[in-house]
Amino acid sequence: MGKIKSKSHIPSFAIVCICVVFLAGVPVLAANTGLTEKIMQAFNLLNIEEQEITEEQKNIYLKYGDILDNEVELGYGTIKLEAAICDKSYICVPFSFQMAGNTDSTEDITNKNSPYQKMQRETIRFSLADSTKNMDMFTVLPPDIQEDGTLKGCFLAGVKEEIKKGDKILVTRQQDWKDTTQEKPVAKFKIGKLAESHNIPLDKEIAGQNHIEISPLSLRIEGSNNGNAFIKYLPDGFDGIIVKLKDGSVVQQASTGSWGMKDEDNSYAKALLFASPVNLDYVEGIYFQNNGEELRLDF
């Protein structure tokens, strides 16, 4: 897996190559909603710098986002899962944590006995209902408490298995990083919407068992390392994977991280999450640069 570089307080897997693009031509919806604001807040936590996005980009959040109404009671406070937006690689869930009893926005969240610190040590885990494995999780928390005493953060889950519309997501509590695969779920929710992915064509001579897809939320690369011509273009890290737009600009990657997995059969999966949604009509192509070799894939 890749190295995490983030302002996250509870990193638990290598994730997220962040990119920013501008888009147009998306049907205008009532984007200024609570749903959109919750998702925007979560994605801004995943970025080094807060991103300004257009009304058209907000509409993509609205199109693919779902409002959630799940609460996890911890005894000393409550985690509320507020919304979800996902494609087949990632689930982003903005949440809020409300301390039990009286709340105080001046609470010292760095105190090890603070409920906020306890919440960090007792992390939430997601898993697919038909899988025995937890998803890889990444939790991001802001440095400040809201005036109402809540702490608003973001859960980001990634999985090599594909997430599908209609999948049930089980939520378990993980105390002090113990395994939770046998624990009883404390909440569950269903994937109601899924950002559609589109294939990026690979020449048959180099394709082998490799497959590349892009969605408005992320870029996914998967395949096998067994002697395919494509492998020589695939960098070990993520800096050599470049998304270019038709106006000539390059989609920038933030240093929050990214994730990649390998199995014993030498198969792999890599995923890059965009910091804000991408209008796929504006994508020119994907470039892979590795050790002086470059492969351009038009989209």
Side-chain angles (χ1 to χ4, degrees):
M1 294 188 183
K3 183 178 180 182
I4 298 173
K5 296 180 180 180
S6 175
K7 60 182 180 182
S8 166
H9 300 277
I10 323 174
S12 60
F13 81 118
I15 199 167
V16 191
C17 186
I18 301 297
C19 312
V20 181
V21 296
F22 297 96
L23 62 130
V26 179
V28 176
L29 304 173
N32 293 321
T33 67
L35 170 62
T36 310
E37 291 170 0
K38 293 177 191 298
I39 296 173
M40 284 176 56
Q41 183 180 48
F43 270 72
N44 279 332
L45 286 174
L46 296 169
N47 286 282
I48 293 176
E49 297 181 358
E50 185 170 317
Q51 306 297 322
E52 291 187 10
I53 66 174
T54 65
E55 289 299 315
E56 290 83 3
Q57 288 174 301
K58 293 177 184 179
N59 289 331
I60 290 184
Y61 282 153
L62 184 62
K63 179 178 179 180
Y64 295 116
D66 276 313
I67 286 289
L68 299 181
D69 188 22
N70 302 87
E71 293 188 352
V72 179
E73 178 57 54
L74 303 178
Y76 50 84
T78 302
I79 294 176
K80 182 177 180 180
L81 309 181
E82 297 184 332
I85 187 167
C86 68
D87 61 9
K88 61 175 55 178
S89 294
Y90 290 101
I91 303 176
C92 177
V93 177
F95 71 89
S96 61
F97 174 72
Q98 179 71 57
M99 185 171 60
N102 295 327
T103 59
D104 185 353
S105 60
T106 64
E107 170 81 20
D108 181 9
I109 63 175
T110 64
N111 186 320
K112 67 178 181 180
N113 296 318
S114 164
Y116 300 102
Q117 291 293 319
K118 290 182 181 179
M119 190 270 289
Q120 292 189 52
R121 294 192 294 270
E122 186 173 9
T123 305
I124 297 300
R125 282 287 187 183
F126 296 160
S127 63
L128 292 168
D130 59 355
S131 175
T132 59
K133 298 180 180 179
N134 288 323
M135 293 181 176
D136 291 308
M137 293 288 293
F138 189 68
T139 305
V140 187
L141 291 172
D144 301 314
I145 301 174
Q146 303 290 310
E147 290 184 2
D148 62 359
T150 62
L151 192 68
K152 295 186 178 296
C154 170
F155 293 131
L156 186 65
V159 63
K160 185 174 180 180
E161 302 167 291
E162 292 186 3
I163 302 165
K164 299 180 290 297
K165 183 178 179 180
D167 277 346
K168 291 182 180 179
I169 306 300
L170 306 181
V171 184
T172 53
R173 291 168 62 177
Q174 178 178 332
Q175 301 181 46
D176 297 323
W177 304 104
K178 294 178 182 178
D179 179 66
T180 61
T181 55
Q182 302 301 318
E183 292 187 11
K184 182 179 179 181
V186 293
K188 63 182 69 174
F189 61 91
K190 187 176 181 179
I191 302 299
K193 301 175 185 177
L194 192 75
E196 297 179 357
S197 298
H198 297 266
N199 293 337
I200 297 175
L202 272 172
D203 189 286
K204 291 182 179 180
E205 294 184 1
I206 65 171
Q209 300 176 26
N210 297 280
H211 182 70
I212 304 172
E213 292 180 272
I214 190 170
S215 84
L217 303 179
S218 74
L219 179 70
R220 180 185 180 95
I221 310 157
E222 58 186 339
S224 171
N225 290 326
N226 295 323
N228 294 302
F230 172 71
I231 296 302
K232 71 177 182 179
Y233 301 105
L234 187 64
D236 290 334
F238 297 86
D239 292 340
I241 303 173
I242 299 170
V243 179
K244 287 191 176 181
L245 305 180
K246 292 178 180 178
D247 64 2
S249 61
V250 174
V251 175
Q252 298 298 311
Q253 301 179 8
S255 59
T256 303
S258 40
W259 69 261
M261 303 176 183
K262 289 185 179 181
D263 284 342
E264 293 180 358
D265 63 358
N266 220 20
S267 64
Y268 70 90
K270 288 176 178 280
L272 315 177
L273 180 71
F274 304 135
S276 52
V278 177
N279 183 346
L280 300 185
D281 291 336
Y282 272 45
V283 177
E284 176 200 68
I286 314 298
Y287 290 71
F288 295 88
Q289 299 172 344
N290 185 34
N291 294 325
E293 301 279 0
E294 180 176 89
L295 175 67
R296 169 180 168 173
L297 302 177
D298 294 325
F299 178 66

